[in-house]
Amino acid sequence: MKLNIQFTVLYILIFIVFVSCDDSRVYYMDRENGNDKNSGLNPKEAWASFSNVNQTKFLPGEKILLHGGQVFQGNIYLKNICGTATDSVFISSYGTGRATIESGNAEAFIADSCCFLSIRNINFKGSGRENGNTTSGLIINKGHDIIVDGADVSGFQQSGVEIIDAQNIKITHIHALENGSAGISTGKTYYEPFMLLSKNIYIGHCVVENNPGNPTILDNHSGSGIIVSGADGVLVEYCLAKNNGWDQPWAGNGPIGIWAFHANNVVIQNCISHSNKSNPNGWDGGGFDLDGGVTNSVLQYNLSYNNVGPGYGLYQYWGAAPWENNIIRYNISVNDGLENDSCALHLWNGQPDKPTFKNAEIYNNLFISDFGRAVDYKSGDVPGIIYRNNIFMSAQEPIMGEHKQSVFDNNLYWRFGNKSVDFNEDIAGIFADPKIKLPTPLQMKIENPAKLNELDYFQPFSGSPCLGSGKPVKNNGGFDFFGNPVPGNIETLNLGVCNKADN
């Protein structure tokens, strides 16, 4: 009996020690009432600045909480801070509203070689892309399993949020505005060898707007919304990119709303990109783009409209890794290319003497231009491009440029004003008014990506020649732009982005 009592007491002591060790600490920051000599372990003992934060080795499950509604000067720099899969290190605001970190000319938050962090509900503000800031706002460098959710990021000359050589990163509900190079980017690109060091990146439910351009970049593009590069396995969805790139200083290749280059297995879906711009004497300024070195990637269920450049770009620049095996399906472009290239879909081959740009399936898209072309090839033909079940509505000839190595199968062509189409054998298809419901220019103010499938436009009326005229496509994604199932039965498959029977 005595032995059992001893074991019971020992068990209780071990349990107490275990519970005490598991009682993770919470550190508080209060700029107005805190003091760096305090313990930081309760709101009345809060720290005032980031000095203690940047010197503390935080443990799994511990929290750093900033007083909501307050503005903190300086920046947070965490190096080799790691939580666990079940107990992340948590950084957020407490009380009412979000805290704001104003970092002046420096970065606001750097997570260097960290893992299992959760950064939520904090705003980050720099001094401005033209007022002394030369950095990105929030940088995740060589870490893994990090979440950033709920932040306004503005006033940085580089990117609002930048991910460099990191894995398993989730970026959500970010409002990136008034930054220089980009709103959100996946960071570095390594060309020799062609390495993709960022992996498994999710960017969702973000707004990237009014990121004008980097005034110090005079020989390359700047001012994009979201850029994916140097990455393998990226999903971008339910994001809005608008009015970016209007102050790019470089009069050459330009920014894009949402795009990828030098990347593999990228999916960009359910996004809206509109009113993006470029240098008045430059190029691009379009909605979406799969650019040099992109492989095995998909653009689907996106809406592009009123961009200075083309709605969708398929580009291969000189020196890029191979571009191949990509899919563009169930997308819509309305009156893109307002100043550059005047088309919905633009293909440009920057190295036509090399077979590094090839093979894409382009099906069940709706491309509309009441002043330009549907598709335009520039600087050389591209082999292995297959068009099927698309609707091309244009003021000019729907397909322009050299396209002998492309296949045009079962598409519908319509020129506004019932003008004839100069059919060649290689683009033979249906010439008819598609009879679909189109919005007026005043109705083209669509900005909620989460409700794209609820739109009342772009669907066929009863009697449309699009109804039941489609050809089956293997591995077609299973759903149309509106979320309707896409069967393999040719009798019930439509042309364009809507597979409902009729309206």
Side-chain angles (χ1 to χ4, degrees):
M1 175 69 85
K2 183 177 180 180
L3 185 62
N4 288 338
I5 291 175
Q6 289 175 335
F7 272 114
T8 301
V9 172
L10 179 62
Y11 174 80
I12 291 173
L13 289 173
I14 293 173
F15 178 78
I16 290 173
V17 171
F18 175 79
V19 170
S20 298
C21 292
D22 192 52
D23 188 15
S24 301
R25 293 186 174 187
V26 179
Y27 296 88
Y28 294 87
M29 294 195 61
D30 186 331
R31 180 179 177 273
E32 297 175 3
N33 302 302
N35 191 309
D36 287 342
K37 295 181 179 180
N38 291 339
S39 68
L41 294 177
N42 65 67
K44 293 184 179 181
E45 285 289 317
W47 293 333
S49 76
F50 297 127
S51 176
N52 288 331
V53 171
N54 294 339
Q55 297 177 38
T56 300
K57 184 71 174 180
F58 296 103
L59 300 176
E62 293 190 330
K63 299 178 176 64
I64 306 103
L65 301 181
L66 284 64
H67 196 297
Q70 292 187 2
V71 176
F72 293 82
Q73 307 294 329
N75 60 13
I76 292 178
Y77 177 45
L78 302 182
K79 185 175 178 62
N80 296 320
I81 299 297
C82 279
T84 66
T86 56
D87 286 304
S88 64
V89 175
F90 185 83
I91 306 100
S92 187
S93 302
Y94 74 96
T96 303
R98 292 179 187 166
T100 298
I101 298 177
E102 285 191 353
S103 60
N105 296 342
E107 302 88 347
F109 196 116
I110 300 175
D112 186 2
S113 304
C114 296
C115 59
F116 296 106
L117 297 185
S118 182
I119 306 163
R120 298 178 183 270
N121 296 318
I122 300 175
N123 294 333
F124 307 97
K125 187 174 182 179
S127 59
R129 66 188 182 97
E130 295 183 305
N131 296 321
N133 189 280
T134 60
T135 69
S136 292
L138 188 152
I139 298 177
I140 299 171
N141 180 47
K142 297 181 180 178
H144 65 87
D145 295 283
I146 296 174
I147 295 172
V148 181
D149 177 71
D152 292 349
V153 188
S154 63
F156 298 94
Q157 191 180 85
Q158 302 295 330
S159 295
V161 177
E162 184 176 12
I163 303 164
I164 307 171
D165 301 348
Q167 293 82 43
N168 303 328
I169 307 300
K170 188 174 182 180
I171 307 295
T172 54
H173 302 104
I174 301 300
H175 185 196
L177 68 160
E178 298 174 4
N179 303 291
S181 295
I184 301 171
S185 68
T186 62
K188 304 300 182 183
T189 301
Y190 302 91
Y191 291 99
E192 295 295 343
F194 290 98
M195 296 186 295
L196 307 178
L197 296 183
S198 290
K199 299 181 186 295
N200 301 324
I201 309 296
Y202 178 85
I203 302 171
H205 304 275
C206 296
V207 176
V208 286
E209 63 173 318
N210 193 29
N211 297 284
N214 186 331
T216 69
I217 298 179
L218 305 179
D219 60 354
N220 209 343
H221 62 82
S222 65
S224 289
I226 298 174
I227 304 176
V228 174
S229 69
D232 187 2
V234 181
L235 174 59
V236 180
E237 64 178 359
Y238 300 109
C239 292
L240 169 64
K242 65 176 183 177
N243 195 38
N244 299 289
W246 53 265
D247 196 29
Q248 174 188 265
W250 166 241
N253 56 312
I256 302 289
I258 302 175
W259 63 296
F261 74 97
H262 188 52
N264 179 61
N265 190 24
V266 177
V267 177
I268 301 172
Q269 64 182 16
N270 302 106
C271 293
I272 300 173
S273 189
H274 76 85
S275 306
N276 294 291
K277 300 172 176 64
S278 185
N279 184 292
N281 298 312
W283 318 325
D284 300 319
F288 299 88
D289 170 21
L290 297 182
D291 216 297
V294 170
T295 54
N296 307 306
S297 296
V298 181
L299 288 173
Q300 60 185 7
Y301 316 127
N302 301 298
L303 171 63
S304 176
Y305 66 93
N306 294 352
N307 291 286
V308 162
Y312 300 87
L314 307 181
Y315 302 140
Q316 176 71 337
Y317 57 85
W318 179 260
W323 188 110
E324 59 186 351
N325 301 329
N326 298 307
I327 296 173
I328 298 86
R329 63 188 175 198
Y330 302 108
N331 300 287
I332 299 172
S333 170
V334 181
N335 291 339
D336 288 307
L338 292 172
E339 297 179 16
N340 296 331
D341 300 300
S342 301
C343 62
L345 176 67
H346 192 220
L347 294 88
W348 176 75
N349 190 357
Q351 43 186 11
D353 58 334
K354 293 186 177 182
T356 61
F357 187 17
K358 60 185 178 181
N359 300 342
E361 293 186 69
I362 303 172
Y363 57 88
N364 285 97
N365 300 283
L366 173 59
F367 296 146
I368 304 169
S369 177
D370 64 13
F371 58 86
R373 305 171 291 277
V375 180
D376 189 10
Y377 285 72
K378 189 174 182 179
S379 300
D381 205 348
V382 183
I385 308 296
I386 301 174
Y387 299 84
R388 183 172 289 129
N389 299 339
N390 301 287
I391 299 175
F392 299 134
M393 304 176 67
S394 60
Q396 301 180 36
E397 287 292 333
I399 315 297
M400 298 292 289
E402 185 179 349
H403 53 267
K404 294 180 181 179
Q405 299 184 77
S406 297
V407 175
F408 290 83
D409 180 25
N410 203 57
N411 304 288
L412 182 145
Y413 306 88
W414 176 250
R415 287 188 67 181
F416 290 105
N418 197 20
K419 296 179 182 179
S420 63
V421 173
D422 184 15
F423 272 116
N424 297 315
E425 291 183 1
D426 58 345
I427 63 168
I430 302 171
F431 176 70
D433 183 343
K435 296 183 180 178
I436 59 176
K437 186 174 183 179
L438 298 178
T440 67
L442 291 177
Q443 292 169 328
M444 282 303 300
K445 296 180 179 179
I446 302 166
E447 294 200 338
N448 189 343
K451 293 188 176 183
L452 279 175
N453 61 354
E454 299 177 15
L455 290 178
D456 191 35
Y457 313 118
F458 311 119
Q459 303 180 41
F461 292 114
S462 178
S464 167
C466 301
L467 297 171
S469 299
K471 285 188 176 181
V473 178
K474 292 182 179 180
N475 303 316
N476 60 19
F479 298 93
D480 68 8
F481 183 91
F482 299 95
N484 302 309
V486 179
N489 188 334
I490 189 171
E491 281 76 20
T492 58
L493 188 64
N494 295 344
L495 303 178
V497 297
C498 179
N499 201 59
K500 287 175 65 176
D502 56 57
N503 290 285

